[in-house]
Amino acid sequence: MKALLVLTLTASLCLASLVPEHEKDPEYWRQQAQAALRDALRLQRLNTNVAKNLILFLGDGMGVSTVTAARILKGQLQHGQGEESQLEMDKFPYVALSKTYNTNAQVPDSAGTATAYLCGVKANEGTVGVSAGVTRDQCNTTRGREVTSILRWAKDDGKSVGIVTTTRVTHATPSAAYAHSANRDWHSDGEMPPDALQGGCRDIARQLVENIPDIEVILGGGRKYMFPKNTSDVEYPGEEKHRGTRLDRRDLVRAWRESKAPGKVARYVWHRRELLALNVSQVDFLLGLFEPGDMVYELERNNETDPSLSEMVAVAIRMLQKNPRGFFLLVEGGRIDHGHHEGKAKQALHEAVELDRAVGLAGRLTSPRDTLTLVTSNVLPARLPRAPHVQNP
């Protein structure tokens, strides 16, 4: 007991000694309160400009607790205690909470939620870009129940559009922007059951190339779904798990290039060096696939071959800004969720900090006078067991 008391007192003294001197002054906190009030009063002068550009940042699995932990980590990475830190997203003038659920599940997945925030329609778990009339895995329920997304609406308005993700570009969140599928996991025809193929359903990678062929920027992972089965990967030629998966033997990167109008320059890159050396003024369409599957966690990323999320966002914005009518850009920090699922808190939080870094960079590359930037999340960072949907009596 005596030893425990000594240790407790020692720990308390150590913590007390860590308190910065300025935080011991009551006036410091009062000045902060006054500054917060002044900022709130300034919000009464609303920005009534029409947004020409829209950037939607989505932290997959980035719940409130993850945001709090990421804020502390950011501060500690800057040699502070952490709690006093401020994320870029903390600086935004407005904050809100919203309900998240699938039409057939109380705890949603990334496919149904992506359909909700990109298409404005709630859907069943595991389906993307379709209404709740589509049953997961049942190809024959899809026809006539496809829904369009904000990406399509932006294109129809003459804007440029882009998708940036740290997952596969065919993953749940990005795919809801361009695809219509009864199963979020149908990345290529190699993952589809025979009945779905016979029923005429198309895999998500094929839809990426065919549904909206004029997406100006596509950056992320997912190379293997674009190439014929057993095609060796350019970066990992000796690893079988990274080989191409397509049963139709199509090279979708070539198909992507060939889908462009004559005279348009379409560039495909797979290496960070190629991306950063790009002269965006001379490129009309950009496809960058930097890993066979999901991109590597930020903590484990190969700085030579793989770009960071911030680097991809910077190139995307410079590409899209060329259009005088504006742009829509979807940015997903998708591996926050993966880190949580795998019990890798450190990886998940560094992914969140990198997403926030990209938010700050986007703010510096654009202006609030004509750009609306949203930062949101879609699901709980640690999902509960699936629960049946409870019908109202």
Side-chain angles (χ1 to χ4, degrees):
M1 179 67 73
K2 186 175 181 180
L4 178 60
L5 178 60
V6 170
L7 287 173
T8 303
L9 289 172
T10 301
S12 299
L13 289 171
C14 288
L15 288 173
S17 67
L18 292 175
V19 178
E21 284 301 314
H22 62 268
E23 291 190 4
K24 298 176 183 179
D25 182 359
E27 193 60 26
Y28 167 76
W29 302 105
R30 293 179 183 132
Q31 289 175 0
Q32 279 198 336
Q34 289 296 316
L37 287 172
R38 287 193 296 270
D39 289 342
L41 289 171
R42 276 196 291 270
L43 290 179
Q44 294 178 10
R45 297 192 290 273
L46 298 178
N47 182 350
T48 58
N49 294 342
V50 176
K52 183 175 72 171
N53 311 314
L54 171 60
I55 306 176
L56 175 58
F57 284 93
L58 189 286
D60 194 339
M62 191 178 68
V64 174
S65 58
T66 298
V67 172
T68 300
R71 182 184 302 115
I72 295 170
L73 174 60
K74 177 181 178 180
Q76 292 174 346
L77 292 173
Q78 296 172 344
H79 308 293
Q81 294 184 64
E83 295 87 346
E84 76 291 346
S85 182
Q86 190 178 38
L87 293 168
E88 295 295 332
M89 64 184 80
D90 290 333
K91 302 173 185 177
F92 282 28
Y94 302 104
V95 64
L97 295 174
S98 63
K99 295 184 294 183
T100 57
Y101 62 93
N102 292 145
T103 48
N104 64 342
Q106 291 178 342
V107 180
D109 80 321
S110 300
T113 51
T115 303
Y117 58 74
L118 291 175
C119 307
V121 175
K122 281 196 176 291
N124 290 329
E125 181 184 33
T127 64
V128 291
V130 292
S131 73
V134 174
T135 303
R136 186 171 187 171
D137 293 324
Q138 295 186 16
C139 168
N140 60 1
T141 64
T142 306
R143 189 177 300 276
R145 297 185 174 93
E146 301 89 349
V147 294
T148 56
S149 77
I150 187 173
L151 189 141
R152 177 72 272 171
W153 309 334
K155 288 301 300 184
D156 290 344
D157 195 43
K159 297 182 184 296
S160 294
V161 295
I163 295 171
V164 176
T165 180
T166 53
T167 67
R168 291 153 279 181
V169 295
T170 57
H171 209 261
T173 293
S175 65
Y178 60 82
H180 316 286
S181 180
N183 191 314
R184 58 178 284 178
D185 297 323
W186 290 351
H187 300 289
S188 77
D189 58 350
E191 287 78 41
M192 296 178 67
D195 66 298
L197 293 171
Q198 293 163 9
C201 283
R202 295 174 299 152
D203 62 87
I204 295 171
R206 181 178 167 189
Q207 292 187 59
L208 174 61
V209 172
E210 296 178 351
N211 284 6
I212 309 180
D214 51 352
I215 300 175
E216 279 81 3
V217 179
I218 305 167
L219 299 175
R223 277 196 303 262
K224 65 182 179 180
Y225 306 115
M226 310 294 283
F227 295 103
K229 188 174 178 62
N230 291 327
T231 302
S232 295
D233 183 72
V234 64
E235 189 175 1
Y236 310 101
E239 298 191 33
E240 185 175 349
K241 66 179 180 179
H242 294 321
R243 293 177 182 173
T245 64
R246 301 202 60 79
L247 300 178
D248 59 10
R249 309 302 300 171
R250 293 185 67 189
D251 179 340
L252 289 187
V253 171
R254 177 183 297 172
W256 172 80
R257 284 199 187 99
E258 293 173 349
S259 69
K260 304 299 175 279
K264 296 294 184 179
V265 177
R267 282 287 307 275
Y268 166 67
V269 298
W270 65 268
H271 197 285
R272 176 177 180 265
R273 183 172 55 249
E274 295 176 306
L275 178 72
L276 300 185
L278 201 69
N279 185 341
V280 297
S281 65
Q282 298 177 0
V283 178
D284 299 298
F285 298 95
L286 174 62
L287 172 63
L289 301 175
F290 303 101
E291 284 291 327
D294 297 321
M295 295 191 68
V296 178
Y297 285 119
E298 176 64 19
L299 270 181
E300 302 159 9
R301 179 171 60 89
N302 184 326
N303 294 329
E304 293 294 322
T305 58
D306 294 347
S308 67
L309 180 60
S310 297
E311 289 170 337
M312 291 192 292
V313 167
V315 174
I317 290 176
R318 287 196 285 267
M319 279 279 297
L320 300 175
Q321 282 176 328
K322 295 185 295 181
N323 188 340
R325 293 187 63 88
F327 65 84
F328 168 72
L329 175 61
L330 170 65
V331 181
E332 182 198 21
R335 304 224 63 196
I336 302 169
D337 190 51
H338 293 175
H340 284 307
H341 280 298
E342 296 172 7
K344 297 178 178 178
K346 186 176 181 179
Q347 280 84 349
L349 295 181
H350 277 271
E351 292 295 309
V353 170
E354 174 58 24
L355 175 66
D356 191 66
R357 188 177 295 116
V359 170
L361 176 61
R364 294 190 294 275
L365 293 175
T366 58
S367 168
R369 290 191 298 273
D370 63 4
T371 302
L372 174 62
T373 302
L374 304 175
V375 183
T376 188
S377 180
N378 56 354
V379 293
L380 297 172
R383 297 177 192 155
L384 300 172
R386 299 297 181 215
H389 180 69
V390 180
Q391 297 288 346
N392 291 326

